[in-house]
Amino acid sequence: SQVFRANLAVDKSLGDGWLVSLEGIYTKDINAVYLENVNLPDSKVKAVGADNRVIFYTLGSNGLPGSTRVNQIYGSIPTAQGGNNGLKPNISDAIVIKNTQLGYSYALTATVSKAFDNGLFASLSYTNSDSRSVNDGGSIAQSQWRDRVVSGDPNENVASYSSYIQTHRFNAYGSYRLNYLNEKASTTFGFTYSAAPAGRFSYTYSGDMNGDNQFNDLMYVPRSQSEILLRDLGTYTAAQQWADLDKYINQDKYLSSRRGQYAERNGLLLPFYRRLDMNIAQEIQQKVGKNMHTIRFSLDIFNVGNLLNKNWGIFRTTNRTQLLNFKRVETTGVNAGKPVFSFPYLDATNQIPLTNT
């Protein structure tokens, strides 16, 4: 693979121990990895309804999607079925590695620091970044293709948010060095504070809605009840499910902004996570012959805030990112051809609905 990368940094001393730094890094994919499963049929069929993504079902006599999935129709592709031998191998996935230029990333960092005369040092920095990729990393080509959540053609060359970007990040550092015994010994106390979003997630369906034999379908966010077909779950009626789903979408800042659209890969940004770390370093100097030797003992306490208070230094994650369960495709009536879903309870035993992200 090939990338173009540029980096520019400026340090400016303001006097009296003050230092201001600005740095920018930009990376653009020239030839990055892009994966296609060429054993996937080239479907032109789309689902019926608001969620009209490309689907991989066989067609019934009425021209509507039937129940046969792509893993059952591989026989329509040459040499994909008909025996496990050299002439007709039984192939489930044939991943071709290609190149793409769509990915990019940037990071802008500003830092201000101050060195005091009494052994005290402090700094504060802020980083703003973004990163888009077509495929995130994985152990093998097949898993990289499989694990990319999609709303259209699973082989489409499209970029979205990378999995591990932190759009915002604050870092603060402070230390105090105490010298004694004629400066033959010193103790340094250091603190590092960081605050950044706790990660990114994708809203997907549970089940294989598009029939490509993978469970990687991004959710369509309905504008109204008319755009989604729900089925009863015992006494939990479709109308009750819609009422709870509608409330959930309204309280979710990301989903409420995506009504009438598909959720994006890694589109959901988790709340900020704040952590305080502590370091204590003890140094002892001793001259042996002509050389000065230093022994250093270090104690690190990670997430020391949580040691002091159980409500500090914790991060919040989602209750559930697979909001809807794909059940089937409706085959009769006015809704024929539409996918059918359910919005299950958060706690089915106690019939507690999912109400917040």
Side-chain angles (χ1 to χ4, degrees), residues 15-20 111-124 173-175:
D16 196 26
W18 287 96
L19 181 67
V20 174
T111 303
V112 58
S113 62
K114 164 71 171 174
F116 298 86
D117 294 333
N118 59 357
L120 182 65
F121 177 83
S123 71
L124 175 66
Y173 174 74
S175 66

Side-chain angles (χ1 to χ4, degrees), residues 160-161 200-203 254 263-269:
S160 188
Y161 298 101
R200 305 191 78 98
F201 282 90
S202 307
Y203 273 119
Y254 175 73
E264 302 161 290
R265 174 165 59 96
N266 295 319
L268 174 62
L269 185 66

